[in-house]
């Protein structure tokens, strides 16, 4: 688990910058936020994140918090969840909410999009079985649409309901009485959300700090 003293040195900052895409200045700011949340401890626990007022009204608050403790999101081939995280893990998870840089190749943009969608998929694949249910998919679509700001919650919900039914007709199709629907896989999830712009819609706030604004 990533551990840092009260103030990471320049070499540690540069290593994290290469891994996450954050600038040295952004990492310094996020390190201060981390220390505030952890009350100057070297690790964060779930209860520390539960104190964030900006997350109180978020409908997927519990999933967001749990994502910070999901080893699949640490870019280390891990599985399962942990009880506490260091600054490196915190920063790695925060990097999924970064807006894409302006000057990147299409290949880099697609790689970043895929990583964001994998993070989003993991957030709803809570049992780590490699699939999410139709209802979980509907919830993902509703969140993405409502966060765009162009649609109200009820309108987004209606579109998400219709999207869920469409996916059901495509992915499930006619089923025999003894058949069991196993859910949506990540590859199918990618195809379903093809064309949906998520790069600037995945954002959260920490202690009055908007991750998307910070990362521009």
């Amino acid at each position: 688990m990533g551990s840092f003293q009260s103030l990471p040195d320049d070499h540690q900052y540069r290593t994290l910058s290469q891994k996450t895409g954050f600038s040295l200045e952004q990492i310094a700011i996020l390190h201060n936020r981390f220390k505030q949340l952890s009350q100057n401890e070297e690790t964060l626990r779930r209860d520390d994140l539960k104190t964030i007022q900006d997350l109180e009204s978020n409908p997927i608050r519990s999933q967001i918090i749990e994502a910070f403790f999901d080893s699949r999101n640490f870019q280390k081939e891990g599985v399962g969840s942990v009880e506490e995280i260091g600054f490196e893990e915190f920063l790695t998870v925060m990097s999924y909410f970064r807006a894409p840089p302006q000057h990147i190749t299409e290949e880099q943009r697609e790689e970043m999009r895929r990583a964001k969608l994998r993070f989003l998929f993991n957030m709803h694949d809570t049992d780590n079985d490699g699939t999410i249910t139709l209802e979980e998919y509907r919830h993902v679509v509703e969140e993405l649409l409502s966060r765009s700001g162009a649609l109200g919650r009820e309108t987004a919900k209606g579109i998400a309901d219709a999207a869920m039914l469409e996916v059901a007709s495509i992915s499930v199709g006619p089923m025999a009485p003894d058949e069991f629907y196993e859910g949506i896989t990540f590859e199918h999830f990618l195809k379903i959300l093809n064309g949906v712009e998520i790069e600037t819609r995945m954002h959260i706030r920490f202690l009055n700090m908007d991750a998307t604004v910070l990362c521009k």
Side-chain angles (χ1 to χ4, degrees):
M1 183 171 295
S3 61
F4 287 84
Q5 301 303 315
S6 296
L7 184 64
D9 61 33
D10 189 62
H11 173 71
Q12 290 172 318
Y13 270 6
R14 292 186 183 281
T15 300
L16 289 178
S17 178
Q18 292 174 355
K19 177 180 180 180
T20 64
F22 285 117
S23 69
L24 299 182
E25 180 183 3
Q26 290 165 346
I27 291 174
I29 293 172
L30 283 167
H31 187 256
N32 287 334
R33 302 304 187 194
F34 177 88
K35 300 304 288 185
Q36 287 177 324
L37 284 171
S38 67
Q39 299 180 53
N40 288 320
E41 297 293 333
E42 296 300 323
T43 58
L44 273 176
R45 302 180 68 87
R46 288 172 178 80
D47 286 343
D48 296 321
L49 297 185
K50 289 177 181 178
T51 64
I52 301 172
Q53 293 183 352
D54 290 312
L55 285 178
E56 287 183 357
S57 60
N58 194 304
I60 56 170
R61 173 176 178 263
S62 61
Q63 290 99 316
I64 290 175
I65 292 175
E66 198 58 38
F68 279 86
F69 300 88
D70 187 338
S71 298
R72 294 173 296 176
N73 298 328
F74 299 158
Q75 301 178 14
K76 295 179 179 179
E77 304 296 328
V79 294
S81 61
V82 297
E83 293 302 315
E84 57 185 30
I85 58 172
F87 178 61
E88 181 176 350
E89 288 79 28
F90 173 78
L91 194 68
T92 300
V93 175
M94 285 294 290
S95 71
Y96 291 106
F97 297 93
R98 286 195 317 119
Q102 291 183 348
H103 304 293
I104 58 175
T105 65
E106 284 303 314
E107 183 178 352
Q108 290 172 322
R109 186 176 296 277
E110 182 57 32
E111 182 180 348
M112 190 171 185
R113 172 185 171 80
R114 185 183 180 92
K116 284 175 177 285
L117 284 172
R118 169 58 78 177
F119 175 80
L120 194 60
F121 185 88
N122 288 346
M123 189 183 294
H124 293 276
D125 178 23
T126 54
D127 57 1
N128 194 23
D129 68 348
T131 62
I132 60 175
T133 67
L134 287 172
E135 176 59 26
E136 288 168 338
Y137 168 73
R138 186 201 65 76
H139 198 64
V140 170
V141 174
E142 182 181 341
E143 282 302 304
L144 289 175
L145 290 174
S146 63
R147 284 179 180 276
S148 70
L151 298 174
R153 171 68 66 175
E154 288 304 313
T155 302
K157 183 177 183 301
I159 295 175
D161 287 341
M164 181 184 69
L165 294 176
E166 180 181 1
V167 169
S169 66
I170 296 173
S171 61
V172 181
M175 297 181 67
D178 59 344
E179 286 185 303
F180 176 72
Y181 175 59
E182 296 181 351
I184 300 171
T185 65
F186 177 62
E187 292 304 320
H188 198 185
F189 186 70
L190 286 176
K191 293 178 182 178
I192 291 168
L193 291 180
N194 183 38
V196 176
E197 195 278 313
I198 69 160
E199 285 80 356
T200 59
R201 294 183 186 179
M202 285 179 60
H203 61 89
I204 50 178
R205 292 179 62 86
F206 280 90
L207 297 176
N208 298 319
M209 177 196 67
D210 192 322
T212 9
V213 173
L214 174 69
C215 302
K216 288 182 178 178

